[in-house]
Amino acid sequence: MDWKNFINNESTKSYYIELKKKVMEAYNTKTCFPPYKYIYRALATCPYEKVKVVILGQDPYHEKGQANGLSFSVDCQKLPPSLVNIYKEMASDLGKNFSQDGNLTYLAKQGVLLLNSTLTVEEGKANSHAGFGWQILTDNIIKEVNKINRPIVFILWGNFAIKKSIYLNNPNHLVIKGVHPSPLSASRGFFGSKPFSKCNDYLIKNGERPIYWIKDDYERNLKDGN
């Protein structure tokens, strides 16, 4: 099993054929995000056989220069409020002060599947592609990861993501449910929830390498040849 074979298999299904038509029309007639070449970036940067963690988002950021195909990740200097809060909790949870840009590719390379439920969006219109059929595809992705029999950690923030837990019944996995990092809800339980240390504790307990959540730590580890 790999993501290329998975997508090839899905591409023969009627929902996917309609989905592809809608996406092509939207990208040909309107400004949409992420850039077309990055629609499947979450899968491209985190191969099926390397998935260790899944962090589920709703849909891409809808302003120019933000979405890069990975949930919660951006390619711009101005960080979205949800990502700012993720970094705040990361610093508190791990007991480290740090500064990071918004690009989370370094997490994907470690086996963190940064998956949005809807993979595209029209500029300035949140959830505008939610009815295209993307969620059939991404729910199937979640189901495929659930089949993996080594330990996987699913981090589900907010009611939308938590609803996806109905697909997660493999006893090898840990499901961390919590409040969404949005400024509208973060103060109601996201801060202090310690999802990053809980994730690493579970991975270590089950013989897996932990995630370097802080980019400097990841890059330092690479330089050391580990």
Side-chain angles (χ1 to χ4, degrees), residues 201-214:
D201 288 347
Y202 189 79
L203 292 175
I204 293 168
K205 178 183 175 182
N206 287 278
E208 298 285 343
R209 294 184 67 174
I211 301 298
Y212 289 98
W213 294 107
I214 298 173

